[in-house]
């Protein structure tokens, strides 16, 4: 099972018992009475302090114990007299697994900018901030699987390589084995994909939803949790080229059921993180408070734990897109022309509009429904009026849309009409259309970009900082 981790040792009662600790040096300081080494192994935000007496070890050995070096320390677990920790290790032996030259190791004990840390993504998990984010990310992923398992859902692995474009966005990464220097051509001069690996054009998926629906038409309730890819040339703080999506699909669920599930789901997984990541969340909350000190009062964020509790404890406000537009048209920022983007029925709401509704008007999370058909995907069920669709978006403070979903169109003729309308070749999704011919049923689902959830829970400002190795335009270094 390996050695005890530092997290477990810190919770152990000190009885002069022998312990072995292994980890990376965060700091070493020497006074005339003692040498203090702070060690961390990633199991917790807290370091364990190990103490040696002056002269106990050779100067040569101590010179190799520097920030970033990796050690095995054997010693006795004793009560700590210093502040900040209840136990410490009285060192008997030090074994240096790996040194870290202080002149070359970039993570010295000082403040580093997030931009700089992105350039050393292979080392940034060793910082307090990133180790906390990665532990929270794990906890949220675990909570997602546990939530759906407990609710009777089945985890469906949908394909990563696909020949369909679920969103109709067209910004996809191509998958090919063709030699790009000598591409096979048809008689008309187009690239002949019949000679490619799959015998047709193939891409990395933008969503597992369409295939997820096929699973729901047999297993009733499924969810996907996998990587998705978007090739949009976007450098915003909210976009990645590779990210993870959670997409439940449920047979026999109508719009109301879909909203109930989405609300319960986010409340449960955020509640699980609040319960199980207290130390990491406290650390990130303090980090944010430090950053906010330099900002004017009106730009400061709500304390992190308060923001998370706010979402878990409040019933979400539900209203239609049309009602939301009325609120925005009557709003002060609209009347004073403070919004960057104009407001009017038929617009795709921008995040400033979404955040106004959540943060200023309702002061709680919002679920918007029944959007105009023109701004939503082809697969969403048309309302009776034919103008709007049974869509639902969940809007959060600080972030805007976190979940997008809908009741799906289960009528074959209406769906086929929409497919033609948006210019999709029905042949490319014949299998999707066919489920509407053979035992169709009302069904619904939604998508949650996992990194957006992690961004919200950690309070970070840039989505590139909540995934271990971010992919974005001109960057696939690690």
């Amino acid at each position: 099972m390996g050695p005890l981790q530092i997290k477990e040792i810190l919770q152990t009662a000190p009885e002069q018992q022998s312990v072995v600790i292994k980890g990376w040096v965060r700091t070493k300081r020497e006074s005339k009475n003692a040498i203090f080494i702070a060690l961390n192994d990633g199991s917790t935000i807290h370091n364990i302090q190990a103490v040696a007496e002056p002269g106990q070890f050779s100067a040569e050995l101590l010179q190799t114990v520097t920030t970033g070096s990796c050690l095995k320390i054997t010693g006795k677990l004793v009560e700590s007299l210093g502040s900040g920790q209840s136990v410490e290790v009285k060192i008997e032996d030090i074994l240096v697994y790996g040194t870290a030259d202080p002149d070359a190791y970039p993570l010295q004990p000082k403040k580093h900018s997030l931009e700089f840390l992105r350039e050393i993504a292979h080392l940034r998990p060793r910082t307090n901030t990133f180790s906390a984010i990665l532990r929270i990310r794990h906890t949220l992923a675990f909570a997602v699987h546990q939530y759906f398992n407990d609710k009777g859902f089945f985890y469906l692995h949908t394909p990563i390589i696909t020949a369909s474009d679920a969103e109709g966005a067209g910004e996809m990464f191509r998958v090919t084995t063709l030699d790009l220097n000598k591409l096979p051509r048809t008689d008309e001069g187009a690239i002949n994909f019949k000679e490619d690996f799959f015998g047709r054009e193939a891409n990395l998926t933008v969503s597992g939803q369409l295939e997820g629906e096929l699973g729901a038409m047999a297993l009733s309730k499924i969810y996907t949790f996998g990587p998705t890819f978007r090739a949009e040339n976007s450098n915003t703080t909210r976009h990645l080229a590779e990210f993870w999506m959670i997409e439940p699909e449920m047979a026999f669920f109508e719009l109301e059921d879909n909203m109930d599930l989405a609300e319960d789901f986010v409340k449960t997984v955020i509640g699980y993180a609040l319960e199980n990541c207290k130390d990491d969340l406290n650390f990130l909350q303090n980090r944010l408070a430090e950053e906010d000190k330099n900002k004017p009062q009106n730009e400061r964020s709500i304390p992190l734990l308060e923001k998370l509790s706010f979402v878990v404890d409040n019933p979400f406000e539900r209203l239609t897109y049309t009602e939301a537009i009325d609120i925005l048209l009557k709003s002060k920022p609209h009347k004073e022309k403070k919004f960057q983007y104009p407001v009017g029925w038929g617009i795709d709401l921008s995040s400033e509009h979404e955040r106004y509704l959540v943060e200023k008007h309702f002061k709680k999370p919002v679920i918007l429904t029944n959007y105009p058909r023109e701004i939503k995907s082809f697969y969403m069920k048309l309302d009776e009026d034919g103008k709007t669709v049974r869509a639902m978006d969940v809007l959060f403070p600080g972030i805007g849309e976190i979940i997008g979903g809908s009741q799906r169109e289960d009528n074959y003729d209406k769906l086929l009409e929409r497919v033609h309308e948006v210019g999709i070749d029905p042949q490319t999704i014949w299998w999707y259309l066919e489920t509407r011919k053979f035992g169709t049923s009302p069904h619904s689902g939604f998508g949650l970009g996992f990194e957006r959830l992690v961004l919200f829970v950690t309070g970070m400002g840039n989505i590139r900082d909540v995934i271990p190795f971010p992919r974005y335009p001109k960057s696939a270094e690690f």
Side-chain angles (χ1 to χ4, degrees), residues 165 167-174 203-207 228-243 245 348 401 452 463-464 470-475:
D165 175 0
E167 297 292 320
E171 292 164 323
M172 304 176 81
F173 289 102
R174 177 154 293 157
N203 306 292
L204 292 176
T205 184
V206 297
S207 160
T228 48
F229 307 86
R230 303 274 163 97
E232 41 186 315
N233 188 11
S234 176
N235 274 301
T236 77
T237 55
R238 294 172 56 176
H239 284 90
L240 288 166
E242 174 187 282
F243 57 100
M245 280 276 273
D348 209 347
E401 183 203 328
R452 285 217 178 160
I463 204 153
R464 295 171 187 181
R471 300 284 177 255
Y472 48 94
K474 304 286 181 279
S475 177

Side-chain angles (χ1 to χ4, degrees), residues 32-240:
K32 60 179 190 294
N33 303 326
I35 297 154
F36 300 98
I37 300 168
L39 216 60
N40 190 289
D41 65 0
S43 60
T44 168
I45 193 93
H46 303 297
N47 304 325
I48 193 162
Q49 180 168 282
V51 188
E53 288 173 15
Q56 191 180 344
F57 297 101
S58 71
E60 289 79 41
L61 175 70
L62 289 175
Q63 260 176 340
T64 63
V65 176
T66 59
T67 297
S69 61
C70 186
L71 309 183
K72 170 187 174 183
I73 290 177
T74 311
K76 295 270 189 285
L77 191 67
V78 297
E79 195 178 336
S80 177
L81 301 175
S83 65
Q85 68 275 326
S86 57
V87 298
E88 62 187 26
V89 175
K90 203 170 168 193
I91 303 175
E92 291 170 349
D93 186 47
I94 298 174
L95 171 67
V96 179
Y97 283 136
T99 58
D101 176 357
D103 296 328
Y105 184 59
L107 284 179
Q108 293 305 318
K110 60 175 186 181
K111 193 169 165 50
H112 297 288
S113 75
L114 295 171
E115 289 74 20
F116 169 70
L117 292 174
R118 265 173 236 143
E119 291 167 17
I120 54 162
H122 60 310
L123 295 170
R124 70 179 184 171
R126 296 197 199 176
T127 64
N128 277 337
T129 300
F130 284 93
S131 65
I133 291 165
L134 293 176
R135 282 187 295 270
I136 291 167
R137 188 182 165 102
H138 156 80
T139 304
L140 286 167
F142 176 79
V144 167
H145 287 295
Q146 182 169 273
Y147 177 85
F148 286 122
N149 181 67
D150 292 353
K151 289 268 186 287
F153 282 68
F154 299 106
Y155 180 27
L156 190 76
H157 294 95
T158 52
I160 289 168
I161 299 172
T162 171
S164 66
D165 175 0
E167 297 292 320
E171 292 164 323
M172 304 176 81
F173 289 102
R174 177 154 293 157
V175 174
T176 182
T177 57
L178 293 176
D179 180 346
L180 299 186
N181 295 313
K182 43 176 193 278
L183 291 168
R185 301 280 174 183
T186 63
D187 295 343
E188 290 76 43
I191 295 168
N192 185 2
F193 284 102
K194 284 199 169 71
E195 294 195 23
D196 206 347
F197 187 90
F198 294 108
R200 61 190 299 176
E201 283 188 67
N203 306 292
L204 292 176
T205 184
V206 297
S207 160
Q209 181 204 313
L210 300 191
E211 293 89 352
E213 284 186 47
L214 313 181
M217 289 296 99
L219 300 169
S220 285
K221 295 197 291 189
I222 66 92
Y223 72 103
T224 76
F225 190 165
T228 48
F229 307 86
R230 303 274 163 97
E232 41 186 315
N233 188 11
S234 176
N235 274 301
T236 77
T237 55
R238 294 172 56 176
H239 284 90
L240 288 166

Side-chain angles (χ1 to χ4, degrees), residues 213-279:
E213 284 186 47
L214 313 181
M217 289 296 99
L219 300 169
S220 285
K221 295 197 291 189
I222 66 92
Y223 72 103
T224 76
F225 190 165
T228 48
F229 307 86
R230 303 274 163 97
E232 41 186 315
N233 188 11
S234 176
N235 274 301
T236 77
T237 55
R238 294 172 56 176
H239 284 90
L240 288 166
E242 174 187 282
F243 57 100
W244 289 68
M245 280 276 273
I246 298 154
E247 297 174 296
E249 286 292 328
M250 299 75 63
F252 318 117
F253 270 51
E254 304 205 15
L255 184 60
E256 201 68 31
D257 309 307
N258 205 19
M259 289 194 273
D260 292 344
L261 181 78
E263 179 169 344
D264 186 58
F265 168 63
V266 287
K267 284 181 168 176
T268 305
V269 296
I270 292 171
Y272 187 85
L274 276 169
E275 194 57 42
N276 291 280
C277 300
K278 290 192 176 93
D279 291 348

